[in-house]
Amino acid sequence: MKRCPTCNAKYSGKRICHRCKTNLGPLLDIKGMAASHTAKANAAYKVDNFSRMLYHARRSYSLYQTPESIKIFACAALLNEKFDLAFFLGTRTK
């Protein structure tokens, strides 16, 4: 996060905005959960558990859409033979 979504102040790295006092903690927690699911999807890939990879990639994508989460989700969809989903995600890459 580069700026506060409420007042557009520059993000200072704290859980409370220095200008408007908005609690940014929940947003930061969501980013952390998304990163955790991305890591679990990568771990599932390494042990060839593609259905588990798809579950965690889908959760990561649903929490926080980044180019990395889109790519992992698309790869998991391909590995699970969900080609229509992979195609859709392929059009979402930035």
Side-chain angles (χ1 to χ4, degrees), residues 2-13:
K2 294 181 181 183
R3 299 201 166 270
C4 172
T6 303
C7 70
N8 206 28
K10 186 175 178 185
Y11 177 61
S12 64

Side-chain angles (χ1 to χ4, degrees), residues 14-49:
K14 297 180 181 172
R15 293 180 70 85
I16 304 291
C17 176
H18 68 279
R19 182 189 295 167
C20 69
K21 308 302 181 213
T22 297
N23 182 5
L24 302 173
L27 293 175
L28 298 172
D29 294 342
I30 289 170
K31 284 178 74 173
M33 287 188 291
S36 173
H37 280 290
T38 298
K40 290 176 183 177
N42 286 329
Y45 172 75
K46 290 179 183 175
V47 295
D48 294 335
N49 189 345

